Amino acid sequence: FHPEKPLVLSAGLDGTVRVWEIPKPVTPVLGHSQSVAAVAVTPDGKTMATASLDKSVRLSHVADGQPKLAITDFPQPIQSMAITSKNQQLAVGDVTGDIWIRSSENGAMRSNWGGHVGPVTAIQYLGEEQLVSTGGDGTLKTWKLPLSPPQTQKTHDQEISSLVVTHDGTRLISAGLDEMIRVYNAETLQQTGSWKSTIGPITALTISADDKLLVTASNTGKWQSWSFPEAVEKEQKSAHDVAIHA
């Protein structure tokens, strides 16, 4: 141990000496009684929202994990969730295909409708007045808010597991159990590109803040990174022994 700093030194038979920084203890966020299916952080970085199969959404302070708001009256387990850029409302998708709009200030109901046949596997806001959802039925839908009939695309042959909106708001990216990654124009929903994963069915997807690096994860426990939009593989690694969901 270093006498003053949180460091540990190790020496090995490989002839190297290594210096390790001791990580700070992780602050657990408590409250859910079943698996957490979705996590979102407000744009100001101060509040996190978590959605669970226990039929609740909970908002907590990022700094210390202390609870801020609990919405516990959903009738079905929750599969997906998103929060608006101005922190005003939450969009929640459940395992039966219903979509719920709730206030992120007090949990008040704003609207609810049937969105998909089967679970709402991913949901994202496009600005404050448009919502994008994907389902176990393999469809991607955009919804105008207040609610109007959706624009629907059958985009994958199997369940769509993940959906992201690029930070510049111009493109949507979906990925599914069919191992495909697909890119769309956010305004027209026209597909602009697609490629296939080489690590198995995709269960999670995320993109960097500069929209240049895309990371996909699979039910094999591996993750894979790609340059975007070129779709050139950069790296892949085994991270877990089971499926990665976020």
Side-chain angles (χ1 to χ4, degrees):
F1 283 94
H2 191 281
E4 298 177 356
K5 299 180 180 179
L7 301 174
V8 173
L9 281 71
S10 66
L13 297 179
D14 58 0
T16 65
V17 177
R18 300 174 187 263
V19 180
W20 308 87
E21 184 174 0
I22 300 174
K24 295 180 180 179
V26 175
T27 301
V29 179
L30 306 176
H32 290 293
S33 60
Q34 296 186 44
S35 298
V36 176
V39 177
V41 178
T42 56
D44 61 12
K46 295 180 179 180
T47 303
M48 74 177 90
T50 57
S52 171
L53 298 182
D54 66 7
K55 307 178 185 179
S56 75
V57 169
R58 297 178 184 272
L59 277 70
S60 309
H61 296 282
V62 170
D64 56 12
Q66 291 300 304
K68 183 177 180 180
L69 173 69
I71 310 172
T72 60
D73 58 351
F74 291 97
Q76 299 292 336
I78 298 168
Q79 183 77 34
S80 55
M81 179 189 58
I83 191 167
T84 56
S85 60
K86 295 182 180 178
N87 304 351
Q88 295 178 339
Q89 63 186 25
L90 296 160
V92 177
D94 71 24
V95 298
T96 68
D98 281 353
I99 296 173
W100 307 77
I101 306 296
R102 306 292 292 262
S103 166
S104 58
E105 294 296 322
N106 56 25
M109 172 75 74
R110 294 190 173 171
S111 60
N112 161 241
W113 67 93
H116 291 270
V117 178
V120 183
T121 54
I123 198 164
Q124 293 286 346
Y125 277 98
L126 279 174
E128 299 291 312
E129 298 180 352
Q130 194 169 12
L131 195 66
V132 187
S133 65
T134 60
D137 53 9
T139 63
L140 182 152
K141 299 184 179 184
T142 58
W143 310 86
K144 294 285 187 181
L145 302 175
L147 187 62
S148 60
Q151 184 179 356
T152 303
Q153 295 270 21
K154 176 68 175 178
T155 57
H156 288 260
D157 295 330
Q158 297 183 49
E159 178 179 307
I160 301 173
S161 58
S162 302
L163 173 72
V164 297
V165 181
T166 56
H167 292 84
D168 63 10
T170 63
R171 287 162 291 188
L172 306 174
I173 308 167
S174 66
L177 300 185
D178 60 1
E179 305 182 18
M180 293 299 298
I181 302 153
R182 301 184 186 276
V183 183
Y184 317 87
N185 179 292
E187 184 175 352
T188 65
L189 280 193
Q190 292 300 307
Q191 184 172 304
T192 60
S194 67
W195 66 96
K196 190 171 184 178
S197 165
T198 60
I199 58 174
I202 300 170
T203 51
L205 173 72
T206 191
I207 194 167
S208 62
D210 61 5
D211 292 333
K212 292 183 178 180
L213 184 68
L214 188 71
V215 178
T216 57
S218 83
N219 64 2
T220 63
K222 295 181 178 180
W223 62 261
Q224 193 169 23
S225 62
W226 311 83
S227 61
F228 185 81
E230 298 85 4
V232 176
E233 182 182 355
K234 298 178 70 69
E235 187 178 10
Q236 64 170 268
K237 286 188 176 181
S238 295
H240 295 269
D241 296 328
V242 294
I244 301 172
H245 293 291

